Amino acid sequence: MTERTTNEVQPETVAAAHGVASDTAFGAIAPPLYLSSTYQFADFDTPRAYDYGRVGNPTRDLLAEAITKLEGGAGAVLTPSGMAAVDILLTRLPVGSLVLAPHDCYGGTMRLLKARAGLGQLRLALVDQSDHAAFTVQLAGKPALVLIETPSNPLMRIVDIAALSALSRAAGARVVVDNTFLSPALQKPLSLGADYVLHSTTKFLNGHSDVIAGAVIAADGGEARALRHWANVTGAIAAPFDSWLTLRGLRTLFARMAGQERNAMAIAERLVAHPAVARVHYPGLADHPDHALARRQQQGFGAMMSFELAGGVEAVQRFVRAVKVITLAESLGGVESLVAHPATMTHVDMGPEARARAGIGDGLLRLSIGLEHVDDLLAGLETGLSAC
Ligand SMILES: *Cc1c(COP(=O)(O)O)cnc(C)c1O
């Protein structure tokens, strides 16, 4: 990876300007998109900075540098999806390693962990990570890797990254935090003691719902190089165009997060006050069980929340058919507001018993709040709620 920036600047400046005006060919302000799969050698046995696109690509590297700086890491690998980001950590573990994951982790991550465990490639332990005693018991099994996900999906529970990282490292485990829901604009897990951060850059980092991609950022330079080497070995690399789009999306990360969080707070407060709503899960609300921890650990409360309709699944059907401005769809983190029904969409694979245990009822809806005008969002929401 070539170092383009020597002066340390504020994160907002990294997001807005890393790689701007760095084009030596024509002085392009926007960094060029390099699609080429291969590169001319300077001479016999003399490759240039890049030789083959699986090994390295200037567009991908520029995005990797920007995300590395934002997370405060030593280096990053960019993968073709968030799932591939999780998997690149798993496939580097010696066969039979123990992985300790949250009992309520992202459904795709759970499916991947169980699939690799089912093939005998790893052993899997699941735990409620807010229960530090239960967590400590699991550490006695000597996990190689501890996966932390905070806030959780869809109930927005928060766990203490610094405390869990310290416990894990003392037990000899490496710690990875899935930072997809908050982005480095609102949470910096490496500064709290994690070894790696992972992202589905599909979500807030790109922010425009037009790319599927992922990233792992390592605190340690040797680990970062090893991950990039492994991405080349296995071919799990992000496409140049996806990287270029994601860098373009990243330009506005801080402004988007601020605006989306402002809208989210207004929506959460409206939901709390509405008679059709039984419960609201948003860490920005003072009565959220993890509000104090969120205040301490995060730089903001983000744009994700969930809420329970008092009228159960019938009310859910009426709501999603009537709601305006907010669209029924999976995924999150884009500039457009989306609503999902975890029981039939994102968490359908869990099965009804596991959902009930995790507190994911049939009346629960998840919101990803976007950048529309707050008055339109509130009016669209009201149209849905008044149909319940
Ligand atoms: C979406 C998501 C993933 C998976 O990412 P993809 O880009 O869809 O493969 C992993 N973790 C979390 C928290 C997510 O929201």
Side-chain angles (χ1 to χ4, degrees), residues 257-345:
M257 290 309 288
Q260 289 176 241
E261 179 177 330
R262 213 166 33 244
N263 281 348
M265 185 57 101
I267 295 280
E269 284 170 349
R270 181 64 59 94
L271 286 169
V272 165
H274 203 284
V277 176
R279 230 177 132 191
V280 183
H281 306 277
Y282 182 60
L285 297 171
D287 67 350
H288 184 281
D290 304 318
H291 178 70
L293 177 54
R295 276 205 104 88
R296 187 166 84 239
Q297 172 164 279
Q298 304 171 190
Q299 285 76 60
F301 300 112
M304 298 300 300
M305 74 185 73
S306 59
F307 65 101
E308 192 90 38
L309 282 172
V313 72
E314 292 77 21
V316 163
Q317 289 183 30
R318 288 193 289 272
F319 176 84
V320 299
R321 288 181 183 137
V323 66
K324 300 275 184 267
V325 186
I326 304 170
T327 306
L328 179 66
E330 309 214 358
S331 201
L332 57 113
V335 292
E336 65 291 310
S337 295
L338 301 179
V339 59
H341 181 233
T344 56
M345 296 166 70

Coordinates of all heavy atoms in Angstrom, one line a residue, residues 257-345:
M257 N -24.4 10.5 8.7 CA -24.7 10.0 10.0 C -25.4 11.0 10.9 O -26.3 10.7 11.7 CB -23.4 9.5 10.7 CG -22.8 8.2 10.1 SD -23.8 6.8 9.8 CE -24.1 6.2 11.4
A258 N -24.9 12.2 10.9 CA -25.4 13.3 11.7 C -26.9 13.5 11.4 O -27.8 13.6 12.2 CB -24.6 14.6 11.6
G259 N -27.2 13.7 10.1 CA -28.6 13.9 9.6 C -29.5 12.8 9.9 O -30.6 12.9 10.3
Q260 N -29.0 11.6 9.6 CA -29.8 10.4 9.8 C -30.1 10.2 11.3 O -31.2 9.8 11.7 CB -29.2 9.1 9.2 CG -29.2 9.2 7.7 CD -28.5 8.1 6.9 OE1 -27.6 8.3 6.2 NE2 -29.0 6.9 7.2
E261 N -29.1 10.4 12.2 CA -29.3 10.3 13.6 C -30.4 11.3 14.1 O -31.2 11.0 15.0 CB -28.0 10.4 14.3 CG -28.2 10.3 15.8 CD -26.9 10.4 16.6 OE1 -25.8 10.0 16.1 OE2 -26.9 10.9 17.8
R262 N -30.3 12.5 13.6 CA -31.2 13.6 14.0 C -32.6 13.1 13.6 O -33.6 13.2 14.5 CB -30.9 14.9 13.3 CG -31.2 16.1 14.1 CD -30.5 17.4 13.6 NE -30.4 17.5 12.2 CZ -29.2 17.5 11.5 NH1 -28.1 17.5 12.2 NH2 -29.2 17.6 10.2
N263 N -32.8 12.6 12.4 CA -34.1 12.1 12.0 C -34.6 10.9 12.9 O -35.7 10.8 13.3 CB -34.1 11.7 10.6 CG -34.2 12.8 9.6 OD1 -34.5 14.0 10.0 ND2 -33.9 12.6 8.3
A264 N -33.6 10.0 13.2 CA -33.9 8.8 14.0 C -34.5 9.2 15.4 O -35.4 8.6 15.9 CB -32.7 7.9 14.1
M265 N -33.8 10.2 16.0 CA -34.3 10.6 17.3 C -35.7 11.2 17.3 O -36.5 10.8 18.1 CB -33.3 11.7 17.9 CG -33.6 12.1 19.3 SD -33.6 10.7 20.4 CE -32.0 10.9 21.2
A266 N -36.0 11.9 16.2 CA -37.4 12.5 16.1 C -38.4 11.3 15.9 O -39.5 11.3 16.5 CB -37.4 13.5 14.9
I267 N -38.0 10.4 15.1 CA -38.9 9.2 14.9 C -39.1 8.4 16.1 O -40.2 8.0 16.5 CB -38.3 8.3 13.8 CG1 -38.2 9.0 12.4 CG2 -39.0 7.0 13.7 CD1 -39.5 9.1 11.7
A268 N -38.0 8.2 16.9 CA -38.1 7.4 18.1 C -39.0 8.1 19.1 O -39.8 7.4 19.7 CB -36.7 7.2 18.7
E269 N -38.9 9.4 19.2 CA -39.7 10.1 20.2 C -41.2 10.1 19.8 O -42.1 9.9 20.6 CB -39.2 11.6 20.3 CG -38.0 11.6 21.2 CD -37.2 12.9 21.2 OE1 -37.6 13.8 20.3 OE2 -36.3 13.1 22.0
R270 N -41.4 10.1 18.4 CA -42.8 10.0 18.0 C -43.4 8.6 18.2 O -44.5 8.5 18.7 CB -42.9 10.4 16.5 CG -44.3 10.3 15.9 CD -45.2 11.4 16.5 NE -44.7 12.7 16.3 CZ -45.0 13.5 15.3 NH1 -45.8 13.1 14.3 NH2 -44.5 14.8 15.2
L271 N -42.6 7.6 18.0 CA -43.0 6.2 18.3 C -43.4 6.0 19.7 O -44.4 5.4 20.1 CB -42.0 5.2 17.8 CG -41.8 5.0 16.3 CD1 -40.5 4.2 16.1 CD2 -43.0 4.3 15.7
V272 N -42.5 6.5 20.6 CA -42.8 6.4 22.1 C -44.1 6.9 22.5 O -44.8 6.4 23.3 CB -41.6 7.1 22.9 CG1 -42.0 7.2 24.3 CG2 -40.3 6.3 22.8
A273 N -44.5 8.1 21.8 CA -45.7 8.8 22.2 C -47.0 8.2 21.6 O -48.1 8.6 21.9 CB -45.6 10.2 21.8
H274 N -46.8 7.2 20.6 CA -48.0 6.7 19.9 C -48.7 5.5 20.5 O -48.0 4.6 20.9 CB -47.5 6.3 18.5 CG -48.6 6.4 17.5 ND1 -49.6 5.4 17.4 CD2 -49.0 7.3 16.5 CE1 -50.5 5.7 16.5 NE2 -50.1 6.9 15.9
P275 N -50.0 5.6 20.6 CA -50.7 4.5 21.3 C -50.6 3.1 20.6 O -50.8 2.1 21.3 CB -52.2 5.0 21.3 CG -52.3 6.1 20.3 CD -50.9 6.7 20.2
A276 N -50.4 3.1 19.3 CA -50.3 1.8 18.6 C -49.0 1.1 18.9 O -48.8 -0.1 18.5 CB -50.4 2.1 17.1
V277 N -48.0 1.8 19.5 CA -46.7 1.3 19.7 C -46.5 0.8 21.2 O -46.7 1.6 22.1 CB -45.6 2.3 19.4 CG1 -44.2 1.8 19.7 CG2 -45.7 2.7 17.9
A278 N -46.1 -0.5 21.4 CA -45.9 -1.0 22.7 C -44.6 -0.7 23.3 O -44.4 -0.5 24.5 CB -46.2 -2.5 22.7
R279 N -43.5 -0.7 22.4 CA -42.2 -0.6 22.9 C -41.2 0.0 21.8 O -41.4 -0.4 20.6 CB -41.6 -1.9 23.3 CG -41.0 -1.9 24.7 CD -40.6 -3.1 25.3 NE -39.2 -2.9 25.8 CZ -38.4 -3.8 26.2 NH1 -38.7 -5.0 26.0 NH2 -37.2 -3.5 26.6
V280 N -40.3 0.8 22.2 CA -39.3 1.3 21.2 C -37.9 1.0 21.7 O -37.6 1.2 22.9 CB -39.5 2.8 21.1 CG1 -38.5 3.3 20.0 CG2 -40.9 3.2 20.7
H281 N -37.1 0.4 20.8 CA -35.7 0.1 21.1 C -34.8 1.0 20.4 O -34.5 0.8 19.2 CB -35.4 -1.4 20.7 CG -36.3 -2.4 21.3 ND1 -36.2 -2.9 22.5 CD2 -37.4 -3.0 20.7 CE1 -37.2 -3.8 22.7 NE2 -37.9 -3.9 21.7
Y282 N -34.4 2.1 21.0 CA -33.4 3.0 20.4 C -32.5 3.5 21.5 O -33.0 4.1 22.5 CB -34.2 4.2 19.8 CG -33.2 5.2 19.1 CD1 -32.4 4.8 18.0 CD2 -33.1 6.5 19.5 CE1 -31.5 5.7 17.4 CE2 -32.3 7.4 18.9 CZ -31.5 7.0 17.9 OH -30.6 7.9 17.3
P283 N -31.2 3.3 21.4 CA -30.3 3.6 22.5 C -30.2 5.1 22.8 O -29.8 5.4 23.9 CB -28.9 3.1 22.0 CG -29.3 2.1 20.9 CD -30.5 2.6 20.3
G284 N -30.7 5.9 22.0 CA -30.8 7.4 22.2 C -31.8 7.8 23.2 O -31.8 8.9 23.8
L285 N -32.8 6.9 23.5 CA -33.8 7.2 24.5 C -33.3 6.9 25.9 O -32.7 5.9 26.1 CB -35.1 6.3 24.2 CG -35.8 6.5 22.9 CD1 -36.8 5.4 22.7 CD2 -36.4 7.9 22.8
A286 N -33.6 7.9 26.8 CA -33.0 7.8 28.1 C -33.4 6.5 28.9 O -32.7 6.0 29.7 CB -33.5 9.0 28.9
D287 N -34.6 5.9 28.5 CA -35.0 4.7 29.2 C -34.6 3.4 28.5 O -35.0 2.3 29.0 CB -36.5 4.7 29.5 CG -37.3 4.6 28.2 OD1 -36.7 4.7 27.1 OD2 -38.5 4.4 28.2
H288 N -33.8 3.5 27.5 CA -33.2 2.3 26.9 C -32.2 1.7 27.9 O -31.5 2.4 28.5 CB -32.4 2.7 25.6 CG -31.9 1.5 24.9 ND1 -30.7 0.8 25.2 CD2 -32.3 0.8 23.8 CE1 -30.5 -0.2 24.4 NE2 -31.5 -0.2 23.5
P289 N -32.3 0.3 28.1 CA -31.5 -0.3 29.2 C -30.0 0.0 29.1 O -29.3 0.0 30.1 CB -31.8 -1.8 29.1 CG -32.6 -1.9 27.8 CD -33.2 -0.6 27.4
D290 N -29.5 0.2 27.8 CA -28.1 0.4 27.7 C -27.7 1.9 27.3 O -26.6 2.1 26.7 CB -27.5 -0.5 26.6 CG -27.8 -2.0 26.9 OD1 -27.7 -2.4 28.1 OD2 -28.3 -2.7 26.0
H291 N -28.6 2.8 27.6 CA -28.4 4.2 27.2 C -27.1 4.7 27.8 O -26.3 5.4 27.0 CB -29.6 5.0 27.7 CG -29.5 6.5 27.4 ND1 -29.6 7.0 26.2 CD2 -29.3 7.6 28.3 CE1 -29.4 8.3 26.2 NE2 -29.2 8.7 27.5
A292 N -26.8 4.5 29.0 CA -25.6 5.0 29.7 C -24.3 4.5 29.0 O -23.4 5.2 28.7 CB -25.6 4.7 31.2
L293 N -24.4 3.2 28.7 CA -23.2 2.5 28.1 C -23.0 3.1 26.6 O -21.9 3.4 26.2 CB -23.4 1.0 28.0 CG -22.4 0.2 27.3 CD1 -21.0 0.4 27.8 CD2 -22.7 -1.3 27.4
A294 N -24.2 3.3 25.9 CA -24.1 3.9 24.6 C -23.5 5.3 24.6 O -22.7 5.6 23.8 CB -25.5 3.9 24.0
R295 N -23.9 6.1 25.6 CA -23.4 7.4 25.8 C -21.9 7.4 26.0 O -21.1 8.2 25.4 CB -24.0 8.0 27.0 CG -25.3 8.7 26.9 CD -25.5 9.8 28.0 NE -25.3 11.0 27.3 CZ -26.3 11.7 26.8 NH1 -27.5 11.2 26.8 NH2 -26.1 12.8 26.2
R296 N -21.4 6.4 26.8 CA -20.0 6.4 27.1 C -19.2 5.8 25.9 O -18.1 6.3 25.7 CB -19.9 5.4 28.3 CG -18.5 5.4 28.9 CD -18.5 4.7 30.3 NE -18.5 3.3 30.2 CZ -19.4 2.5 30.7 NH1 -20.5 3.0 31.3 NH2 -19.3 1.2 30.6
Q297 N -19.7 4.8 25.3 CA -18.9 4.0 24.3 C -19.0 4.6 22.9 O -18.1 4.4 22.1 CB -19.4 2.6 24.3 CG -18.9 1.7 23.3 CD -19.1 0.2 23.7 OE1 -18.4 -0.4 24.5 NE2 -20.2 -0.4 23.1
Q298 N -20.1 5.2 22.6 CA -20.4 5.7 21.2 C -20.3 7.2 21.1 O -20.5 7.9 22.1 CB -21.8 5.2 20.8 CG -22.0 3.7 20.9 CD -23.4 3.3 20.7 OE1 -23.7 2.1 20.9 NE2 -24.3 4.2 20.3
Q299 N -20.0 7.7 19.9 CA -20.1 9.1 19.7 C -21.4 9.6 19.2 O -21.6 10.8 18.9 CB -19.0 9.5 18.6 CG -17.6 9.5 19.2 CD -17.0 8.0 19.3 OE1 -16.9 7.3 18.4 NE2 -16.7 7.7 20.6
G300 N -22.4 8.7 19.1 CA -23.7 9.0 18.8 C -24.6 7.8 18.8 O -24.1 6.7 19.1
F301 N -25.9 7.9 18.6 CA -26.8 6.8 18.8 C -27.2 6.1 17.5 O -27.8 5.1 17.5 CB -28.0 7.2 19.6 CG -27.7 7.8 20.9 CD1 -27.9 9.1 21.2 CD2 -27.2 7.0 21.9 CE1 -27.6 9.7 22.5 CE2 -26.9 7.5 23.2 CZ -27.1 8.8 23.4
G302 N -26.8 6.7 16.4 CA -27.1 6.1 15.1 C -28.5 6.2 14.6 O -29.3 7.0 15.2
A303 N -28.8 5.5 13.5 CA -30.0 5.7 12.8 C -30.8 4.4 12.7 O -31.8 4.3 11.9 CB -29.7 6.2 11.4
M304 N -30.5 3.4 13.5 CA -31.2 2.2 13.6 C -32.0 2.1 14.8 O -31.6 2.5 15.9 CB -30.2 1.0 13.5 CG -29.3 0.9 12.3 SD -30.2 0.7 10.8 CE -31.1 -0.8 11.1
M305 N -33.2 1.5 14.7 CA -34.1 1.3 15.8 C -35.1 0.2 15.5 O -35.2 -0.2 14.3 CB -34.8 2.5 16.2 CG -35.9 2.9 15.3 SD -36.7 4.5 15.7 CE -35.4 5.6 15.2
S306 N -35.7 -0.3 16.5 CA -36.9 -1.2 16.3 C -38.0 -0.9 17.2 O -37.7 -0.2 18.2 CB -36.4 -2.7 16.4 OG -35.9 -2.9 17.7
F307 N -39.2 -1.3 16.9 CA -40.3 -1.0 17.7 C -41.4 -2.1 17.6 O -41.4 -2.8 16.6 CB -40.9 0.3 17.4 CG -41.6 0.5 16.1 CD1 -42.9 0.4 15.9 CD2 -40.8 0.7 15.0 CE1 -43.5 0.5 14.7 CE2 -41.4 0.8 13.7 CZ -42.7 0.7 13.6
E308 N -42.1 -2.3 18.7 CA -43.1 -3.4 18.8 C -44.5 -2.7 18.6 O -44.8 -1.8 19.4 CB -43.0 -4.0 20.2 CG -43.7 -5.3 20.4 CD -42.8 -6.5 20.1 OE1 -41.6 -6.4 20.4 OE2 -43.4 -7.4 19.5
L309 N -45.2 -3.2 17.7 CA -46.6 -2.8 17.5 C -47.5 -3.5 18.5 O -47.4 -4.8 18.6 CB -47.1 -3.0 16.1 CG -46.6 -1.9 15.1 CD1 -47.0 -2.3 13.7 CD2 -47.1 -0.5 15.4
A310 N -48.4 -2.8 19.2 CA -49.2 -3.4 20.2 C -50.2 -4.5 19.6 O -50.5 -5.5 20.2 CB -50.1 -2.3 20.9
G311 N -50.5 -4.2 18.3 CA -51.5 -5.1 17.7 C -50.9 -6.4 17.0 O -51.6 -7.1 16.2
G312 N -49.6 -6.7 17.3 CA -49.0 -7.9 16.8 C -48.9 -8.0 15.3 O -48.8 -6.9 14.6
V313 N -48.9 -9.2 14.7 CA -48.6 -9.4 13.3 C -49.7 -8.8 12.4 O -49.3 -8.3 11.3 CB -48.3 -10.9 13.0 CG1 -49.6 -11.7 13.1 CG2 -47.6 -11.0 11.7
E314 N -50.9 -8.7 12.9 CA -52.0 -8.1 12.0 C -51.7 -6.6 11.9 O -51.8 -6.0 10.8 CB -53.4 -8.3 12.6 CG -53.9 -9.8 12.6 CD -53.3 -10.6 13.7 OE1 -52.8 -10.1 14.7 OE2 -53.3 -11.9 13.5
A315 N -51.3 -6.0 13.0 CA -50.9 -4.6 12.9 C -49.7 -4.3 12.0 O -49.7 -3.3 11.3 CB -50.7 -4.0 14.4
V316 N -48.8 -5.3 12.1 CA -47.6 -5.2 11.2 C -48.0 -5.1 9.7 O -47.5 -4.3 9.0 CB -46.6 -6.3 11.5 CG1 -45.6 -6.5 10.3 CG2 -45.9 -6.2 12.8
Q317 N -48.9 -6.0 9.4 CA -49.4 -6.1 8.0 C -50.1 -4.8 7.6 O -49.8 -4.2 6.5 CB -50.3 -7.2 7.8 CG -49.6 -8.6 7.8 CD -50.6 -9.8 7.6 OE1 -51.5 -9.6 6.8 NE2 -50.3 -10.9 8.2
R318 N -50.9 -4.3 8.5 CA -51.6 -3.0 8.2 C -50.6 -1.9 8.1 O -50.7 -1.0 7.2 CB -52.7 -2.7 9.2 CG -53.9 -3.6 9.1 CD -55.1 -3.1 10.0 NE -54.8 -3.3 11.4 CZ -55.1 -4.4 12.1 NH1 -55.7 -5.4 11.5 NH2 -54.9 -4.4 13.4
F319 N -49.6 -1.9 9.0 CA -48.6 -0.8 9.0 C -47.8 -0.8 7.7 O -47.7 0.3 7.0 CB -47.7 -0.9 10.2 CG -46.5 0.1 10.2 CD1 -46.7 1.4 10.7 CD2 -45.3 -0.2 9.6 CE1 -45.7 2.3 10.7 CE2 -44.3 0.7 9.6 CZ -44.5 2.0 10.2
V320 N -47.2 -2.0 7.3 CA -46.3 -2.0 6.1 C -47.1 -1.7 4.8 O -46.5 -1.2 3.9 CB -45.5 -3.3 6.0 CG1 -44.6 -3.5 7.2 CG2 -46.4 -4.5 5.8
R321 N -48.4 -1.9 4.8 CA -49.2 -1.6 3.6 C -49.5 -0.1 3.5 O -49.7 0.4 2.4 CB -50.4 -2.5 3.5 CG -50.1 -3.9 3.2 CD -51.3 -4.8 3.1 NE -50.8 -6.2 2.8 CZ -51.3 -7.3 3.4 NH1 -52.3 -7.2 4.3 NH2 -50.9 -8.5 3.2
A322 N -49.6 0.5 4.7 CA -50.1 1.9 4.7 C -49.0 2.9 4.8 O -49.1 4.0 4.3 CB -51.0 2.1 5.9
V323 N -47.8 2.5 5.4 CA -46.8 3.5 5.6 C -46.3 4.1 4.4 O -46.2 3.5 3.3 CB -45.6 2.8 6.4 CG1 -44.9 1.8 5.5 CG2 -44.6 3.8 6.9
K324 N -46.0 5.4 4.4 CA -45.5 6.2 3.3 C -44.0 6.6 3.6 O -43.6 6.7 4.8 CB -46.3 7.4 3.0 CG -47.8 7.1 2.7 CD -48.0 6.8 1.2 CE -49.4 6.5 0.9 NZ -49.8 5.1 0.9
V325 N -43.3 6.9 2.6 CA -41.9 7.5 2.6 C -40.9 6.4 3.1 O -39.8 6.3 2.6 CB -41.8 8.7 3.6 CG1 -40.4 9.3 3.5 CG2 -42.8 9.8 3.2
I326 N -41.3 5.5 4.0 CA -40.4 4.5 4.5 C -40.8 3.2 3.8 O -42.0 2.8 3.8 CB -40.6 4.3 6.0 CG1 -40.4 5.6 6.8 CG2 -39.7 3.2 6.6 CD1 -40.8 5.6 8.2
T327 N -39.8 2.5 3.1 CA -40.1 1.4 2.2 C -39.8 0.1 2.9 O -38.8 -0.1 3.6 CB -39.2 1.6 1.0 OG1 -39.4 2.9 0.4 CG2 -39.5 0.5 -0.1
L328 N -40.6 -0.9 2.6 CA -40.5 -2.3 3.1 C -39.3 -3.0 2.3 O -39.5 -3.3 1.1 CB -41.8 -3.1 3.0 CG -41.8 -4.5 3.5 CD1 -41.6 -4.6 5.0 CD2 -43.0 -5.2 3.0
A329 N -38.2 -3.2 3.0 CA -37.1 -3.8 2.4 C -36.1 -4.3 3.4 O -36.0 -3.7 4.5 CB -36.4 -2.9 1.4
E330 N -35.3 -5.3 3.1 CA -34.1 -5.7 3.9 C -33.0 -4.6 3.7 O -33.1 -3.7 2.9 CB -33.6 -7.0 3.5 CG -34.7 -8.1 3.5 CD -34.3 -9.5 3.9 OE1 -33.2 -9.7 4.2 OE2 -35.2 -10.3 3.9
S331 N -31.9 -4.8 4.5 CA -30.8 -3.9 4.5 C -31.0 -2.6 5.2 O -32.1 -2.4 5.8 CB -30.3 -3.6 3.1 OG -28.9 -3.2 3.1
L332 N -30.0 -1.8 5.3 CA -30.0 -0.7 6.2 C -28.8 0.3 5.8 O -28.0 -0.1 5.0 CB -29.8 -1.1 7.6 CG -28.5 -2.0 7.9 CD1 -27.6 -1.2 8.8 CD2 -28.9 -3.3 8.5
G333 N -28.8 1.5 6.4 CA -27.7 2.3 6.3 C -27.6 3.2 5.1 O -26.7 3.9 4.9
G334 N -28.7 3.2 4.2 CA -28.7 4.0 3.1 C -29.4 5.4 3.4 O -29.9 5.6 4.5
V335 N -29.3 6.3 2.4 CA -29.9 7.6 2.6 C -31.5 7.6 2.6 O -32.1 8.5 2.9 CB -29.4 8.6 1.5 CG1 -28.0 8.9 1.7 CG2 -29.7 8.1 0.1
E336 N -32.0 6.4 2.2 CA -33.5 6.2 2.1 C -33.9 5.4 3.3 O -33.2 4.5 3.7 CB -33.9 5.6 0.8 CG -33.5 4.1 0.6 CD -32.0 4.0 0.4 OE1 -31.4 4.7 -0.4 OE2 -31.3 3.2 1.1
S337 N -35.1 5.8 3.9 CA -35.6 5.1 5.1 C -36.2 3.7 4.7 O -37.0 3.7 3.7 CB -36.6 5.9 5.8 OG -35.9 7.1 6.3
L338 N -35.9 2.7 5.4 CA -36.4 1.3 5.2 C -37.0 0.8 6.4 O -36.5 1.1 7.5 CB -35.3 0.4 4.7 CG -34.6 0.8 3.4 CD1 -33.5 -0.2 3.1 CD2 -35.5 1.0 2.2
V339 N -38.0 -0.1 6.3 CA -38.6 -0.8 7.4 C -38.5 -2.3 7.0 O -38.7 -2.7 5.9 CB -40.1 -0.4 7.7 CG1 -41.0 -0.6 6.5 CG2 -40.6 -1.1 8.9
A340 N -38.1 -3.1 8.0 CA -38.1 -4.6 7.8 C -38.8 -5.2 9.0 O -38.9 -4.7 10.1 CB -36.6 -5.0 7.8
H341 N -39.4 -6.4 8.7 CA -40.1 -7.2 9.7 C -39.2 -8.4 10.0 O -39.2 -9.4 9.2 CB -41.5 -7.7 9.1 CG -42.3 -8.5 10.1 ND1 -42.8 -9.7 9.8 CD2 -42.6 -8.2 11.4 CE1 -43.4 -10.2 10.8 NE2 -43.3 -9.3 11.8
P342 N -38.4 -8.3 11.1 CA -37.4 -9.4 11.3 C -38.0 -10.8 11.3 O -37.3 -11.7 10.8 CB -36.9 -9.0 12.7 CG -37.1 -7.5 12.8 CD -38.3 -7.2 12.0
A343 N -39.2 -11.0 11.9 CA -39.7 -12.4 12.0 C -39.9 -13.1 10.7 O -39.8 -14.3 10.5 CB -41.0 -12.4 12.8
T344 N -40.2 -12.3 9.6 CA -40.5 -12.9 8.3 C -39.4 -12.6 7.3 O -39.4 -13.1 6.2 CB -41.8 -12.5 7.7 OG1 -41.9 -11.0 7.6 CG2 -43.0 -13.0 8.5
M345 N -38.4 -11.7 7.7 CA -37.4 -11.2 6.7 C -36.0 -11.6 7.2 O -35.5 -12.6 6.9 CB -37.6 -9.7 6.4 CG -38.9 -9.4 5.7 SD -39.4 -7.7 5.7 CE -38.2 -7.0 4.5

